[in-house]
């Protein structure tokens, strides 16, 4: 009697059976009217699994999409970041030989267990055309093609909990465990300046968001507080109580509207940052694990592997879809939107990644 080996450490080829379903789903996806879908302000989700991506051996924590380059990056608890091709048509056509996609590049420079963020820094002159920024407490810059390290910003403690690109990808802004915002020059590899992110101690930073105009940085804390800071001057514009528990997800819907979520409160809030007013609240029946925005909708994944599409305005209906447990066997731990061919990437706690439409 063979002892039971956890599936995540088995060779991937034994775990991933070729499936003609992917090909059928792909044909259905291609036959849907993509022009209509691109005009619609709602995401048209048909629960079609298009492709699997195999290689991580632990939970996927973060996914970033670079649609013009047809690539995405995934950061995992296995301390690696992998780069994958979104050009999956070929693999799906030959589903018997290639039942899943394998990664193009793996970055192995992270030493700590949790990779919080990964970003493509593209279009910043020739020097930064193919650079990835990632964070595990320290901020790393590395080469997209080779997976080789370019620079690691050395801070005294590995305290950067989240990092976002700012100022046309020339800089990065990181939120630290101690409650500061630190700016990094991604071009010249220098640490620039550090600002306080709140007037009084409001716990440790959980997440930061930068508005589209890159004029404001929103910072959320473990206490449920939110701060708003001018990105050029560091001026604290406002601070308010955004939730009763920690706010772990936050995105700007427009330059004025900020969406925040404190999963334990089972609430999603929309704030007008110009008037500092709560515009709308939406209840989430279960703990939200990940949140993103697509056109006029808020997309969430909850702890029972259900994806919800919640319109920001009241004219549209919200709806939810639960994954078939036969396909996604473990908990979804991260997701990202592929916007122009509307599809979704889901990363799971056992390391699998799936492309759905």
């Amino acid at each position: 009697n063979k002892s039971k080996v956890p599936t995540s450490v088995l060779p991937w080829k034994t775990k991933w059976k070729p499936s003609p379903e992917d090909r059928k789903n792909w044909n259905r996806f291609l036959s849907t009217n993509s022009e209509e879908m691109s005009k619609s302000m709602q995401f048209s989700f048909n629960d079609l699994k298009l492709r699997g991506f195999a290689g991580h051996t632990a939970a996927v924590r973060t996914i970033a999409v670079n649609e013009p380059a047809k690539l995405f990056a995934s950061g995992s608890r296995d301390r690696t970041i992998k780069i994958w091709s979104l050009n999956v048509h070929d693999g799906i056509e030959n589903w018997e030989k290639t039942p899943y996609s394998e990664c193009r590049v793996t970055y192995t420079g992270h030493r700590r267990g949790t990779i919080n963020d990964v970003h493509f820094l593209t279009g910043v002159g020739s020097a930064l055309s193919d650079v990835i920024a990632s964070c595990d407490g320290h901020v790393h810059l590395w080469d997209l093609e080779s997976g080789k390290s370019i620079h690691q910003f050395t801070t005294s403690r590995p305290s950067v909990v989240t990092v976002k690109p700012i100022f046309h990808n020339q800089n990065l802004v990181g939120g630290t465990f101690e409650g500061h915002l630190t700016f990094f020059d991604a071009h010249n590899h220098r640490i620039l300046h550090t600002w306080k992110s709140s007037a009084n101690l409001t716990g440790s930073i959980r997440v930061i968001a930068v508005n589209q105009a890159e004029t404001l940085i929103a910072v959320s804390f473990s206490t449920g507080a939110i701060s708003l800071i001018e990105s050029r001057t560091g001026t604290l514009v406002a601070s308010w109580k955004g939730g009763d528990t920690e706010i772990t997800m936050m995105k700007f819907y427009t330059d004025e509207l900020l969406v925040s979520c404190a999963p334990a409160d089972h609430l999603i809030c929309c704030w007008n940052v110009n008037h500092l007013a709560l515009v709308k609240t939406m209840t989430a029946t279960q703990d939200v694990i990940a949140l993103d925005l697509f056109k006029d909708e808020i997309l969430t994944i909850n702890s029972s592997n259900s994806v919800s599409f919640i319109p920001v305005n009241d004219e549209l209906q919200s709806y939810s879809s639960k994954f078939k447990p036969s396909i996604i066997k473990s908990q979804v731990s991260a997701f990202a939107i592929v916007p122009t061919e509307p599809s979704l990437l889901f990363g799971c706690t056992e390391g699998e990644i799936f492309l759905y439409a």
Side-chain angles (χ1 to χ4, degrees):
N1 186 13
K2 285 182 187 168
S3 63
K4 195 172 184 317
V5 186
T7 50
S8 58
V9 296
L10 282 173
W12 283 101
K13 287 191 170 65
T14 62
K15 188 181 170 191
W16 292 69
K17 306 271 188 296
S19 165
E21 280 303 303
D22 291 4
R23 180 132 178 218
K24 281 187 204 148
N25 288 349
W26 184 253
N27 290 338
R28 271 183 66 193
F29 174 61
L30 292 178
S31 67
T32 54
N33 189 337
S34 55
E35 199 177 318
E36 263 177 42
M37 279 162 72
S38 65
K39 281 182 192 155
S40 164
M41 295 315 277
Q42 274 195 296
F43 195 101
S44 172
F45 187 72
N46 299 302
D47 198 13
L48 300 175
K49 174 184 154 278
L50 301 178
R51 192 70 174 148
F53 301 85
H56 283 304
T57 55
V60 177
R61 292 299 306 269
T62 181
I63 300 174
V65 174
N66 180 346
E67 213 178 0
K70 287 265 183 227
L71 296 172
F72 74 93
S74 58
S76 163
R77 282 192 83 92
D78 64 15
R79 299 182 189 174
T80 67
I81 295 173
K82 293 182 182 291
I83 303 292
W84 315 79
S85 171
L86 269 173
N87 245 336
V88 293
H89 188 269
D90 221 26
I92 289 167
E93 286 295 310
N94 305 305
W95 58 269
E96 282 170 287
K97 287 204 289 288
T98 53
Y100 55 84
S101 296
E102 296 186 64
C103 74
R104 292 169 49 146
V105 178
T106 300
Y107 177 68
T108 55
H110 286 290
R111 295 285 167 264
R112 303 180 77 245
T114 303
I115 293 165
N116 310 316
D117 278 306
V118 58
H119 300 285
F120 289 89
L121 303 185
T122 45
V124 189
S126 55
L128 266 190
S129 55
D130 296 305
V131 174
I132 300 275
S134 54
C135 172
D136 67 348
H138 292 298
V139 178
H140 294 224
L141 298 176
W142 48 279
D143 182 79
L144 172 62
E145 295 298 320
S146 66
K148 288 193 167 61
S149 175
I150 295 169
H151 185 73
Q152 184 182 330
F153 292 99
T154 44
T155 42
S156 52
R157 293 174 56 205
S159 64
V160 182
V161 292
T162 178
V163 71
K164 295 284 181 282
I166 194 167
F167 305 142
H168 309 296
N169 290 342
Q170 295 280 357
N171 292 359
L172 297 159
V173 55
T176 70
F177 191 73
E178 300 84 24
H180 297 125
L181 289 181
T182 299
F183 285 76
F184 304 90
D185 184 335
H187 209 62
N188 302 308
H189 306 160
R190 290 181 306 142
I191 295 176
L192 298 170
H193 45 263
T194 297
W195 291 334
K196 275 186 168 179
S197 58
S198 63
N200 45 17
L201 202 63
T202 42
S204 53
I205 289 178
R206 284 291 174 262
V207 69
I208 56 179
V210 180
N211 70 347
Q212 287 91 325
E214 303 194 324
T215 52
L216 292 171
I217 302 166
V219 184
S220 77
F221 296 88
S222 54
T223 54
I226 298 175
S227 282
L228 205 59
I229 290 140
E230 274 186 5
S231 63
R232 298 277 177 191
T233 61
T235 306
L236 182 65
V237 180
S239 246
W240 69 94
K241 187 106 174 112
D244 294 329
T245 58
E246 62 175 13
I247 293 170
T248 56
M249 285 155 263
M250 205 165 51
K251 295 253 175 174
F252 274 97
Y253 166 63
T254 62
D255 280 332
E256 295 82 41
L257 275 185
L258 177 71
V259 175
S260 70
C261 177
D265 294 352
H266 291 178
L267 263 191
I268 297 166
C269 299
C270 288
W271 309 91
N272 183 311
V273 295
N274 287 353
H275 305 135
L276 299 181
L278 179 61
V279 181
K280 187 176 183 180
T281 59
M282 290 148 273
T283 50
T285 47
Q286 282 167 310
D287 286 11
V288 174
I289 282 167
L291 173 150
D292 209 343
L293 304 177
F294 174 82
K295 294 185 179 174
D296 284 350
E297 283 182 308
I298 300 163
L299 276 61
T300 65
I301 281 280
N302 71 18
S303 50
S304 68
N305 274 8
S306 181
V307 56
S308 295
F309 301 82
I310 307 157
V312 178
N313 61 42
D314 294 324
E315 289 146 39
L316 301 166
Q317 283 287 295
S318 60
Y319 69 99
S320 296
S321 177
K322 196 168 161 41
F323 295 112
K324 297 181 189 86
S326 59
I327 297 174
I328 294 192
K329 294 180 173 69
S330 60
Q331 172 70 56
V332 174
S333 48
F335 86 103
I337 297 169
V338 185
T340 56
E341 285 190 348
S343 51
L344 300 171
L345 286 159
F346 297 105
C348 303
T349 51
E350 285 196 3
E352 329 87 309
I353 301 169
F354 297 102
L355 178 68
Y356 264 78

